[in-house]
Amino acid sequence: MKHEVLPGKERRRRWSDEEKLTIVAEVGRNGWTVADVARRHDLTRQHIYQWRRELRRQFLYPQSDETIFLPVEMADSAEVKDPVFGPGGSEVTVILRNGRQIRCRDGIGEDVLARLIRLVEAA
């Protein structure tokens, strides 16, 4: 029998949840795509997508049916200089646990905002 030994990097690596979370969190940072992050860490894109699903199942990316409203600080209307809302318009920015943000007018109803949050967290 003949055996061939291939020198070099071991292809089967083990990643801790912390390492996976750090790698997955790089997507979107500085405009990096999934392909960019995968290349940087010598992975396939599928690894990153799989890890993202796995981390969500382990509740490291918590998803809940229950919507929790937190206290917010409203900026003075003079401070708001956003061309979308114009001068004097006020907005609310909701920062979710997964780092995504929802920006909307301050008069939005709670039921509409709760549905938006569920949609953005599920995506």
Side-chain angles (χ1 to χ4, degrees):
M1 292 176 70
K2 189 175 183 180
H3 294 282
E4 183 177 353
V5 177
L6 300 174
K9 245 185 188 178
E10 178 186 351
R11 295 311 299 169
R12 183 171 288 265
R13 293 173 283 174
R14 306 286 184 225
W15 301 89
S16 69
D17 286 341
E18 292 79 25
E19 290 171 317
K20 291 177 184 179
L21 193 57
T22 302
I23 291 170
V24 169
E26 289 181 14
V27 176
R29 189 182 306 152
N30 298 326
W32 292 343
T33 64
V34 172
D36 295 332
V37 174
R39 269 192 298 275
R40 287 189 64 219
H41 295 281
D42 194 28
L43 298 167
T44 65
R45 291 174 300 164
Q46 184 57 33
H47 274 106
I48 295 175
Y49 291 121
Q50 180 181 347
W51 289 352
R52 188 183 292 170
R53 281 191 306 273
E54 177 184 315
L55 293 169
R56 282 185 181 145
R57 278 194 299 269
Q58 293 176 7
F59 299 107
L60 295 176
Y61 278 100
Q63 293 180 351
S64 172
D65 291 338
E66 179 183 345
T67 302
I68 301 171
F69 289 96
L70 302 173
V72 297
E73 293 181 28
M74 297 297 294
D76 292 335
S77 60
E79 294 177 21
V80 177
K81 297 176 182 161
D82 191 337
V84 173
F85 293 101
S90 59
E91 70 176 59
V92 175
T93 302
V94 179
I95 302 173
L96 304 175
R97 288 179 284 195
N98 60 11
R100 294 182 177 164
Q101 297 182 10
I102 298 174
R103 293 177 52 193
C104 54
R105 292 191 182 272
D106 67 347
I108 189 169
E110 287 184 17
D111 57 334
V112 175
L113 185 57
R115 281 189 305 194
L116 279 172
I117 290 172
R118 280 194 297 272
L119 286 171
V120 171
E121 283 184 336

